[in-house]
Amino acid sequence: PLGPSKATPTAPVSRALALIDKMDTLVGFLGSGIKPTGSKDPLAIRRTALGIIRLIVESEHDDIDLDKSINKAIAAYKTQGIELSPKTVEDVLEFIQLRFQVYIRDRCPREKADEILGENVRITDMWHIARKI
């Protein structure tokens, strides 16, 4: 999506390209140790993670494999001779999970959000969880 209130692409190829682009950006920043601090996020890293979440949640399929997407982005960096942190996969998944919690809390009443997020949320279940709101 071009912004937080803009529509996500609906065509499969457009959706895939948007996901690849955003994942490449997120992996590159987090794998290099660049993370937003406090309320400052001049590189829009949080917005990039939100874009990934929206692409997954607003899709009609639940078959997006985050681990595979992250590892493919890491492999692309390696082909360019760029080594990222060994914790990149873990850092990216954790970052997306934190943004997903904010995403849920912004979209439903507190009690409902706590109920949804209290179910030992796994980021791989994002699509199914979002269907509950």
Side-chain angles (χ1 to χ4, degrees):
L2 296 174
S5 61
K6 301 292 182 186
T8 56
T10 56
V13 172
S14 300
R15 184 174 295 280
L17 288 174
L19 181 64
I20 290 166
D21 177 54
K22 291 184 182 315
M23 189 60 74
D24 175 66
T25 300
L26 195 60
V27 165
F29 282 130
L30 297 179
S32 299
I34 300 170
K35 298 177 184 179
T37 57
S39 63
K40 295 183 180 188
D41 188 11
L43 301 171
I45 299 170
R46 290 183 186 110
R47 193 171 357 161
T48 299
L50 178 59
I52 291 169
I53 290 165
R54 288 191 55 216
L55 285 164
I56 293 170
V57 168
E58 295 173 18
S59 79
E60 296 182 17
H61 307 286
D62 66 345
D63 60 351
I64 296 172
D65 185 335
L66 280 175
D67 285 324
K68 187 176 181 180
S69 297
I70 294 166
N71 282 308
K72 283 189 175 202
I74 291 169
Y77 278 95
K78 284 183 181 178
T79 64
Q80 297 173 40
I82 300 170
E83 284 297 319
L84 301 175
S85 165
K87 290 181 49 189
T88 299
V89 174
E90 178 184 327
D91 289 346
V92 171
L93 287 172
E94 182 180 317
F95 192 79
I96 293 172
Q97 180 145 2
L98 290 172
R99 298 313 306 159
F100 182 64
Q101 291 172 357
V102 171
Y103 174 87
I104 292 293
R105 287 195 169 100
D106 285 349
R107 282 160 180 76
C108 57
R110 183 180 183 96
E111 304 80 37
K112 178 90 170 165
D114 290 344
E115 176 187 323
I116 291 169
L117 296 171
E119 297 176 1
N120 195 17
V121 174
R122 292 181 325 172
I123 195 66
T124 54
D125 295 332
M126 192 183 325
W127 191 83
H128 297 290
I129 293 164
R131 295 294 177 270
K132 295 179 183 182
I133 58 173

